[in-house]
């Protein structure tokens, strides 16, 4: 069914980005149904959040991108600490030693401390106890969830995060499958979050701020769409609480004022340092500011009794009618 829908839509040139979004959702659903129930539950909740527009703020959309990096870091940690057993089938490894359930263990232990999305499926994994035991066997029985969260967050490269968000917003393709909606970037800036909201657009007077980026300027058709410099994006991420300066960084506001009084050149140097990702790190606690879990009623339906494929398709088709992409 997913394949027929995909090929049917592909044969038509109509739809553009909306068609690509539908294909992405259908392919995600099809791939999930080829995996275990734990993966299906996680993808169902993620698709539900996507179809019901639960990421309508800039903070939530950037958090969604960061969440994919957290998941990638957990997968890397599993590969580093649990290979090759984690990728063996049921004939060679117990369920608690396999990747999907090990992922549940790491998310259940440290996911809330990292502000991860949809941690409830992991906490209800039927093999969670065995998977946690395997994690403790490998990492030590006294492993602290806070220590684990810090280790995972520190493994995410700040430049990778910043450049990924920048590439998503500045993507010039008319059919780009975006994580971040460019329309809400300017809305966020207009709500008093920036001294000059128009800094989210390209400006030839600030050409030097864009010269090391690729692309370094928007296409003609995107001239009136947000196009960020890395310097502006870093300021935005700092103000939203995704980044913070390293404790060793001494570029406080008081230092800037002293530098301004003594020497203008020192002030310029300090400002340059403040916009350098090398002196920044990711914050690992966003709970309270962002609600990461999907609507409770769907969580109970999916977790308590995962539907068969036909039921899953029916549920998504009902949501599809309410979807802005349909």
């Amino acid at each position: 069914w997913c394949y027929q829908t995909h090929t049917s839509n592909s044969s038509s040139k109509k739809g553009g980005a909306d068609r690509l979004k539908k294909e992405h959702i259908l392919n995600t659903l099809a791939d999930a149904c080829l995996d275990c129930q734990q993966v299906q539950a996680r993808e169902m909740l993620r698709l539900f959040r996507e179809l019901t527009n639960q990421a309508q703020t800039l903070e939530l959309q950037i958090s969604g991108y960061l969440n994919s990096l957290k998941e990638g870091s957990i997968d890397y940690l599993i590969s580093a600490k649990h290979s090759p057993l984690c990728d063996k089938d049921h004939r060679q490894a117990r369920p608690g030693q396999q990747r999907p359930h090990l992922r549940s263990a790491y998310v259940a232990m440290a996911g809330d401390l990292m502000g991860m999305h949809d941690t409830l499926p992991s906490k209800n994994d039927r093999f969670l106890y065995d998977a946690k035991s395997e994690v403790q066997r490998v990492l030590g029985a006294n492993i602290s969830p806070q220590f684990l969260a810090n280790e995972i967050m520190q493994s995410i490269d700040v430049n990778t995060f910043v450049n990924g968000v920048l590439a998503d917003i500045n993507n010039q393709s008319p059919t780009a499958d975006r994580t971040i909606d460019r329309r809400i970037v300017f809305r966020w800036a207009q709500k008093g979050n920036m001294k000059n909201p128009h800094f989210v657009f390209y400006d030839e007077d600030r050409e030097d701020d864009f010269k090391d980026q690729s692309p370094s300027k928007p296409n003609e058709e995107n001239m009136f769409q947000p196009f960020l410099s890395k310097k502006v994006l870093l300021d935005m991420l700092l103000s939203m609480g995704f980044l913070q300066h390293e404790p060793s960084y001494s570029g406080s506001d008081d230092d800037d004022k002293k530098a301004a009084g003594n020497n203008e050149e020192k002030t310029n140097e300090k400002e340059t340092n403040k916009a350098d990702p090398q002196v920044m790190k990711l914050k690992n606690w966003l709970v309270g500011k962002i609600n990461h879990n999907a609507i409770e009623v769907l969580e109970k339906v999916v977790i308590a009794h995962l539907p068969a494929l036909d039921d899953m398709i029916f549920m998504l088709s009902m949501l599809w009618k309410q979807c802005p992409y349909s």
Side-chain angles (χ1 to χ4, degrees):
W1 177 74
C2 291
Y3 174 78
Q4 289 175 349
T5 305
H6 172 81
T7 53
S8 174
N9 282 336
S10 297
S11 63
S12 172
K13 295 183 179 180
K14 297 180 180 179
D18 289 347
R19 176 177 58 79
L20 292 176
K21 176 67 74 172
K22 287 183 178 181
E23 291 177 7
H24 164 72
I25 292 173
L26 290 172
N27 288 333
T28 300
L29 174 61
D31 290 340
C33 292
L34 295 174
D35 216 314
C36 70
Q37 288 187 338
Q38 192 58 35
V39 175
Q40 292 170 23
R42 185 172 70 245
E43 291 302 321
M44 276 287 292
L45 287 174
R46 190 180 65 78
L47 285 176
F48 179 81
R49 187 173 59 249
E50 188 172 340
L51 288 169
T52 53
N53 282 327
Q54 292 186 36
Q56 286 302 290
T57 67
L58 186 57
E59 289 93 337
L60 276 171
Q61 293 188 1
I62 293 177
S63 176
Y65 177 78
L66 179 57
N67 194 71
S68 66
L69 298 183
K70 296 171 187 174
E71 291 177 345
S73 292
I74 290 176
D75 275 335
Y76 179 81
L77 179 60
I78 292 171
S79 296
K81 299 295 184 181
H82 301 274
S83 286
L85 199 60
C86 62
D87 295 314
K88 301 291 185 182
D89 62 23
H90 66 280
R91 293 169 296 182
Q92 298 173 283
R94 302 190 312 272
Q97 296 175 316
Q98 294 175 330
R99 186 178 295 272
H101 306 293
L102 287 170
R103 182 194 178 280
S104 293
Y106 282 106
V107 172
M109 293 170 70
D112 287 339
L113 294 173
M114 297 188 293
M116 289 192 72
H117 293 190
D118 301 329
T119 59
L120 195 58
S122 296
K123 294 175 182 176
N124 287 273
D125 190 324
R126 61 184 293 199
F127 298 110
L128 180 61
Y129 179 82
D130 290 341
K132 277 187 174 181
S133 298
E134 180 67 14
V135 170
Q136 291 170 344
R137 184 187 69 80
V138 173
L139 300 183
N142 298 320
I143 185 72
S144 161
Q146 185 64 62
F147 173 81
L148 193 57
N150 288 338
E151 288 297 303
I152 294 171
M153 291 299 294
Q154 288 172 14
S155 70
I156 301 175
D157 181 61
V158 173
N159 267 308
T160 299
F161 170 55
V162 173
N163 289 334
V165 174
L166 190 69
D168 190 285
I169 295 173
N170 289 356
N171 193 327
Q172 298 299 291
S173 172
T175 58
D177 185 14
R178 302 178 185 276
T179 301
I180 301 164
D181 186 345
R182 291 182 296 183
R183 293 171 297 182
I184 67 169
V185 175
F186 185 51
R187 292 177 199 162
W188 179 88
Q190 283 182 306
K191 292 179 179 178
N193 294 306
M194 296 181 67
K195 292 181 180 179
N196 188 345
H198 292 279
F199 273 16
V200 301
F201 296 100
Y202 178 78
D203 186 349
E204 290 184 352
D205 292 338
R206 296 184 291 115
E207 188 176 15
D208 287 346
D209 292 346
F210 301 91
K211 64 181 181 181
D212 295 326
Q213 298 177 194
S214 180
S216 58
K217 63 183 299 184
N219 298 336
E220 189 65 34
E221 59 270 22
N222 288 318
M223 275 297 180
F224 299 104
Q225 293 285 354
F227 189 88
L228 301 180
S229 67
K230 182 179 283 191
K231 180 179 179 180
V232 168
L233 176 59
L234 286 169
D235 287 340
M236 292 168 64
L237 294 174
L238 283 167
S239 70
M240 283 187 276
F242 286 100
L243 298 178
Q244 64 185 31
H245 284 108
E246 289 279 6
S248 58
Y249 173 68
S250 60
S252 65
D253 290 340
D254 290 339
D255 291 337
D256 286 345
K257 290 176 182 177
K258 292 177 183 178
N262 294 328
N263 191 308
E264 183 179 352
E265 183 177 340
K266 290 182 180 179
T267 303
N268 291 335
E269 182 180 352
K270 186 70 68 176
E271 289 299 319
T272 301
N273 290 337
K274 287 177 72 174
D276 184 358
Q278 298 302 322
V279 300
M280 298 179 188
K281 68 176 184 177
L282 290 164
K283 284 189 177 180
N284 64 348
W285 182 258
L286 298 175
V287 174
K289 184 174 183 180
I290 298 174
N291 178 19
H292 295 288
N293 287 319
I295 291 178
E296 185 178 357
V297 63
L298 185 80
E299 288 179 334
K300 290 180 178 177
V301 170
V302 174
I303 304 298
H305 176 69
L306 191 69
L309 175 59
D310 289 345
D311 295 331
M312 292 172 69
I313 293 173
F314 175 76
M315 290 172 68
L316 284 173
S317 66
M318 292 298 99
L319 291 171
W320 200 290
K321 295 178 180 179
Q322 310 299 324
C323 175
Y325 306 117
S326 60

